[in-house]
Amino acid sequence: MPILFWLSVYTFGGFLIGYVIYDVMITEMTAKSKRKKYFNSIIDTSTQYRRYVKGGE
């Protein structure tokens, strides 16, 4: 009977740790994606401003 208890404890702990790692990775991936979009938006605005200053548009 104690073997079943410890097996369930380890299984639950494994699922818990797996979920935390998964959640952290998803959070990091979406944060990087948002940062990349923000950075690209700044670069795009800078490029448009340079074109405007040069009299291109």
Side-chain angles (χ1 to χ4, degrees):
M1 201 64 175
I3 293 173
L4 185 60
F5 170 73
W6 287 114
L7 184 65
S8 63
V9 167
Y10 288 136
T11 303
F12 179 72
F15 278 125
L16 189 63
I17 290 171
Y19 176 75
V20 167
I21 291 172
Y22 171 77
D23 190 42
V24 167
M25 287 189 66
I26 293 295
T27 303
E28 278 300 310
M29 287 171 57
T30 55
K32 285 181 184 176
S33 174
K34 286 179 184 175
R35 278 185 254 154
K36 186 175 181 181
K37 286 179 186 174
Y38 179 69
F39 180 73
N40 285 342
S41 143
I42 292 173
I43 295 297
D44 188 44
T45 303
S46 171
T47 304
Q48 288 177 0
Y49 179 73
R50 273 192 238 132
R51 284 185 194 152
Y52 175 76
V53 169
K54 287 182 180 179
E57 295 180 19

